[in-house]
Amino acid sequence: MQRVPALEAKDITLRYKSSGRGIEGLNISVNPGEVFGLVGPNGSGKSTLLRVLSTVVEPDSGEFRVGGADGLREKRKVRTKLGLMVDRPTHYGDLSGWANAYFFASLYGMEEKKTEGALTELFEYFDLAPYRDDRVKTYSYGMGKKLALIEALAHGPDVLLLDEPSLGLDYTSQLALQRKIRDLASSSVAIVLASNQVDEVESLCDRVAFLHDGRIVAEGTPEDLISSLKGVRRIVATLRNPVEYRPVEGVAGVDRIVPEGRDLVVHCEDRPGIVADVVAGIVRAGGDITDLAVRRPSLEDVFVKLTGEALRDEDQPA
Amino acid sequence: MKINPPDAYWKKDVALFFGKRFALLIKMIYPLAIIVPVAASGIPAQYAAAVIGIVAVMAGTFGAGESLTIDLNDGILVRVALTPISPRRVVFEVLAVNAVLDLVQLLPALVIVYILHPVSLMWVVAATFAVFATLVTANAIGIFIANFTSSPADVLLYATAILFPLIYLSGFFRNQHPEGILAFLRKFVPFAYMNDALKTVFGLSAKSAPMDIFIYPTLICAVLVFAVCLTAPRLLSPRL
């Protein structure tokens, strides 16, 4: 018997009239228990796709189904199956965290006892229990994100749409979130995770789609995508002082250089002697190297290779 | 019945209304501060009725319109709209709960008016009902305006443009004895019935019979509530 996808979107196109940007002909399919990553720089269309899938906006064309329900014609049915966490969550600031979560759980038709049980567990899981009766306007950004996660999970959705869920969370909470995502996936919840946290996507997602200018430019398992980069290396040089690194770009085999704080990340071919050549180039440019690492390619390298662009704004070349 | 934590949209609004103590104090005091001195003074009945009418109209229109646009700008209303609850139900609850809470604000002042100007119980009930119908109408106007703007300041501007002709038609200050088309149009404005009922409370002879005050505003409000609820899907969608 053929497995019914938890979420299936076909040929989704949406262009914003104001900017002309949007998404074009996107197709995705996510099975129950699968974690699907959407990766792309700001403006690539991740959030727009999530807006469509969460029924916030209707696409110009295309269709999607959630648990078999038509996303355009059976919106309320679709909404009961979805758990949603947006990038910048909002709450009623003058209500407590508990009251906010209770309110949203009730809107999903949950009974009092079930709501209290689910919320108690989630507030404890995300370490918000001591603050549950505080007004949300006193919460930090990270606490607000945790509350939004609780609201997304409380009603036990079949499909979870998460937009940058770990952004703003402390390290412990990020780990708790990753554990929760794995637990949910093992209990057959389908999860769509839009994120630029490449490490998180690589470790959590079963499949990943790269978005660029509103289109999917590559899709596959993280292992397959990374192994497609045979012959690519990443040299990370930590410098004592910033340098004008353009001369290093002239080294044979160097594809791209991205400054990340005190690190200079050099994407290059995997050829004999290239590490020595890159180090020599940095020294010639006046760089004082305090640490050096040669790393295997990551999903970020895949994206750079595919599009010639960085995933994050701060990675743009100077 | 448990209000906080809220398990319905209207309970959330009630919890927020009673949760902010200082704001609640101001909301309860300002109608008293405006209405009681007017009721206790010897100003002509039609102007005393007009002052109460203006307070009711302003409280209703600006209350719902402003709070809705603020929630729309925050994105919280769109979040609510993404739950399985019907957008029309959300808008109905916004309208109903705001009208009731506005009445709660005005009720102490109205009670003092009835004590200072005793009338038959029938007129007390009719006047209170007419004030409520005005609040429903005013809130419906506020919600209607929120469809076209995301700025609370614009709500004030547009509300003024809509309310002025309605207040004129109702005969609060000018147009006290309308004829012809103005008299015909006046029948469709719930503010007019409130004005008639309050004038009676302050001692003028009644223009409308008590049953008119119950029947016509009810019918007009039902149409308005239905029409405003039809705008719900647009109102609760994001402004892109």
Side-chain angles (χ1 to χ4, degrees):
Chain A
M1 200 171 74
Q2 201 185 354
R3 201 177 184 192
V4 179
L7 171 69
E8 191 173 27
K10 286 182 186 165
D11 215 16
I12 299 286
T13 295
L14 173 65
R15 290 268 165 218
Y16 295 117
K17 289 183 183 77
S18 53
S19 64
R21 290 169 186 267
I23 50 177
E24 186 85 39
L26 297 192
N27 294 289
I28 66 166
S29 176
V30 187
N31 290 319
E34 190 176 27
V35 185
F36 187 86
L38 289 173
V39 180
N42 297 336
S44 61
K46 303 187 301 288
S47 296
T48 302
L49 178 59
L50 289 190
R51 277 180 175 169
V52 171
L53 298 177
S54 59
T55 73
V56 174
V57 286
E58 286 195 9
D60 298 333
S61 62
E63 57 181 15
F64 70 99
R65 302 186 87 81
V66 177
D70 189 317
L72 301 177
R73 291 182 191 82
E74 300 170 285
K75 283 184 186 167
R76 286 176 68 184
K77 207 169 169 185
V78 164
R79 287 169 187 163
T80 58
K81 296 171 188 287
L82 287 178
L84 174 68
M85 197 197 118
V86 294
D87 182 16
R88 275 167 284 183
T90 51
H91 298 99
Y92 293 103
D94 285 306
L95 292 180
S96 68
W98 180 268
N100 268 280
Y102 194 96
F103 170 63
F104 278 105
S106 302
L107 296 186
Y108 283 91
M110 284 182 75
E111 291 165 7
E112 187 180 336
K113 281 253 164 64
K114 222 173 156 186
T115 305
E116 285 182 353
L119 292 184
T120 303
E121 189 196 320
L122 287 165
F123 270 78
E124 276 169 14
Y125 186 86
F126 286 109
D127 292 329
L128 268 191
Y131 312 99
R132 54 170 264 182
D133 295 323
D134 294 355
R135 290 186 181 201
V136 170
K137 65 181 175 192
T138 66
Y139 279 19
S140 67
Y141 177 75
M143 289 161 79
K145 290 275 285 206
K146 287 195 228 177
L147 181 59
L149 277 167
I150 291 170
E151 289 166 2
L153 298 172
H155 59 283
D158 297 334
V159 176
L160 198 54
L161 304 178
L162 303 174
D163 195 358
E164 300 286 2
S166 58
L167 198 67
L169 292 185
D170 56 67
Y171 183 66
T172 318
S173 303
Q174 284 186 24
L175 293 180
L177 170 66
Q178 290 180 9
R179 265 199 325 274
K180 183 53 102 179
I181 287 176
R182 285 195 198 95
D183 289 350
L184 289 165
S186 64
S187 57
S188 292
V189 176
I191 297 153
V192 178
L193 177 75
S195 175
N196 279 341
Q197 312 285 314
V198 177
D199 295 344
E200 181 180 73
V201 171
E202 213 172 304
S203 64
L204 277 177
C205 295
D206 302 307
R207 275 189 306 132
V208 178
F210 283 117
L211 268 80
H212 184 245
D213 284 342
R215 293 170 190 275
I216 292 178
V217 289
E219 188 184 329
T221 65
E223 298 77 33
D224 288 347
L225 289 167
I226 291 168
S227 64
S228 71
L229 282 187
K230 268 184 192 153
V232 172
R233 270 193 182 187
R234 195 151 59 108
I235 300 167
V236 182
T238 305
L239 304 180
R240 197 180 300 280
N241 54 315
V243 294
E244 169 52 56
Y245 55 83
R246 296 230 178 262
V248 187
E249 287 176 335
V251 173
V254 169
D255 290 334
R256 179 185 172 80
I257 301 175
V258 180
E260 285 184 2
R262 288 172 61 204
D263 291 345
L264 207 57
V265 183
V266 182
H267 301 262
C268 55
E269 289 173 15
D270 188 8
R271 67 163 173 80
I274 193 157
V275 177
D277 290 350
V278 166
V279 168
I282 293 172
V283 170
R284 271 202 307 279
D288 184 4
I289 299 173
T290 57
D291 197 9
L292 188 74
V294 181
R295 295 187 181 146
R296 74 180 186 93
S298 69
L299 282 176
E300 191 165 356
D301 299 305
V302 181
F303 189 83
V304 171
K305 185 82 180 173
L306 285 166
T307 66
E309 286 183 22
L311 269 174
R312 287 169 287 201
D313 283 346
E314 62 269 26
D315 295 346
Q316 297 297 337
Chain B
M1 185 172 56
K2 197 164 64 176
I3 296 292
N4 202 0
D7 60 8
Y9 196 91
W10 69 268
K11 288 183 184 175
K12 182 269 300 172
D13 274 354
V14 174
L16 284 172
F17 181 81
F18 288 106
K20 292 185 267 187
R21 285 183 194 153
F22 183 68
L24 178 64
L25 189 71
I26 300 290
K27 282 177 186 170
M28 298 304 288
I29 285 177
Y30 95 83
L32 284 166
I34 297 172
I35 292 170
V36 173
V38 169
S41 72
I43 70 167
Q46 64 267 34
Y47 298 125
V51 169
I52 298 175
I54 292 290
V55 171
V57 168
M58 296 301 174
T61 310
F62 299 154
E66 270 198 282
S67 64
L68 260 180
T69 46
I70 289 167
D71 280 359
L72 280 167
N73 282 331
D74 278 355
I76 191 85
L77 260 185
V78 174
R79 175 73 190 91
V80 169
L82 290 178
T83 64
I85 192 170
S86 150
R88 290 184 182 89
R89 184 172 155 186
V90 172
V91 169
F92 177 77
E93 288 189 27
V94 169
L95 179 55
V97 77
N98 273 287
V100 171
L101 292 175
D102 290 341
L103 184 66
V104 168
Q105 283 174 247
L106 293 178
L107 220 42
L110 287 176
V111 169
I112 292 173
V113 168
Y114 300 143
I115 292 169
L116 293 174
H117 300 271
V119 280
S120 68
L121 183 63
M122 173 70 97
W123 276 109
V124 167
V125 176
T128 308
F129 180 80
V131 169
F132 181 66
T134 292
L135 292 170
V136 171
T137 307
N139 275 286
I141 291 170
I143 292 170
F144 177 73
I145 293 169
N147 271 280
F148 302 102
T149 178
S150 53
S151 155
D154 282 355
V155 171
L156 300 179
L157 184 69
Y158 298 160
T160 308
I162 294 176
L163 291 176
F164 267 165
L166 295 179
I167 288 170
Y168 178 79
L169 272 177
S170 305
F172 280 24
F173 298 103
R174 308 287 301 271
N175 191 38
Q176 299 250 347
H177 305 285
E179 290 175 359
I181 183 77
L182 290 179
F184 174 73
L185 290 175
R186 188 180 190 273
K187 291 181 194 297
F188 297 97
V189 185
F191 306 166
Y193 297 91
M194 174 187 66
N195 193 236
D196 288 350
L198 289 172
K199 279 178 184 167
T200 308
V201 169
F202 283 104
L204 288 180
S205 58
K207 248 185 202 172
S208 306
M211 285 318 287
D212 291 350
I213 288 164
F214 288 112
I215 293 168
Y216 294 117
T218 304
L219 295 173
I220 298 163
C221 284
V223 173
L224 283 174
V225 170
F226 180 74
V228 162
C229 286
L230 286 181
T231 69
R234 177 193 150 85
L235 185 66
L236 270 60
S237 60
R239 313 281 161 92
L240 299 172

